[in-house]
Amino acid sequence: MNALEGKRLDSLILSSVDGLTVNDLISIASTNGLSQLRVKGSLLNPSTLISDHFNRTLSNLDILLIHVVHNSVANPIFVAKIISYWLNLAEETDRIVQLKIEGIGQETQDSAIGRLMRKVDSVQRVAWTPHQIVLSNHKGQVSILDCASLFGDE
């Protein structure tokens, strides 16, 4: 992180950085002029992303993309719980979350989305493309990528 200290950054993409923590993200986000931050890290805990300190620090970013890897069993009920968690996080932080769940089949993911929409009245489908479906839960949105898509596919 010392290499970035004092540098003016507009956009930053971090991937597979060993030992990257939420505190590192907060430090990076405090960089003058940073408007876009995209991160993939295995040590990022989703529950820490809703802390007040984290949200205050990152509120100046236009785009925040965090890819947290879920090790998931191929079970629509469990996958629906993962999607529900991210919908609630998106609602609490008033953000749009882009979610890709790896290691499951497309049919399992589709079943989980259908189950969630049937069971939770406040979850609505707001958009659909061949590569993703966007669900909304009040003011938060989750864009769920299909199994074959990569981040950034339109």
Side-chain angles (χ1 to χ4, degrees):
M1 296 304 133
N2 293 338
L4 300 175
E5 213 170 288
K7 306 280 193 296
R8 181 163 171 77
L9 300 171
D10 176 53
S11 179
L12 183 63
I13 299 172
L14 300 172
S15 179
S16 301
V17 178
D18 286 337
L20 183 69
T21 66
V22 171
N23 289 334
D24 294 331
L25 286 180
I26 291 171
S27 175
I28 293 167
S30 300
T31 303
N32 189 23
L34 188 65
S35 65
Q36 297 182 25
L37 179 61
R38 298 167 194 248
V39 180
K40 179 179 179 182
S42 59
L43 292 181
L44 300 178
N45 183 340
S47 62
T48 60
L49 304 179
I50 61 173
S51 72
D52 287 337
H53 182 63
F54 183 79
N55 283 314
R56 275 194 311 271
T57 304
L58 299 180
S59 64
N60 63 328
L61 296 175
D62 295 331
I63 296 174
L64 173 64
L65 173 62
I66 297 178
H67 181 190
V68 178
V69 178
H70 287 281
N71 293 325
S72 175
V73 294
N75 177 331
I77 296 170
F78 185 75
V79 174
K81 288 179 183 180
I82 291 172
I83 296 168
S84 178
Y85 174 85
W86 285 102
L87 271 168
N88 290 333
L89 181 67
E91 180 184 4
E92 290 176 18
T93 59
D94 195 17
R95 292 203 180 262
I96 298 172
V97 173
Q98 193 174 43
L99 178 63
K100 178 162 175 64
I101 303 173
E102 297 178 349
I104 62 169
Q106 188 63 47
E107 289 180 12
T108 301
Q109 182 169 303
D110 293 345
S111 294
I113 291 168
R115 176 182 179 78
L116 190 60
M117 290 177 66
R118 284 189 309 276
K119 298 281 185 180
V120 183
D121 291 335
S122 62
V123 174
Q124 303 291 321
R125 183 185 81 182
V126 294
W128 175 86
T129 70
H131 298 289
Q132 67 184 345
I133 185 170
V134 180
L135 301 178
S136 176
N137 187 13
H138 303 291
K139 62 183 180 177
Q141 290 187 355
V142 173
S143 172
I144 305 165
L145 300 176
D146 71 9
C147 291
S149 294
L150 301 172
F151 285 110
D153 282 352
E154 298 287 331

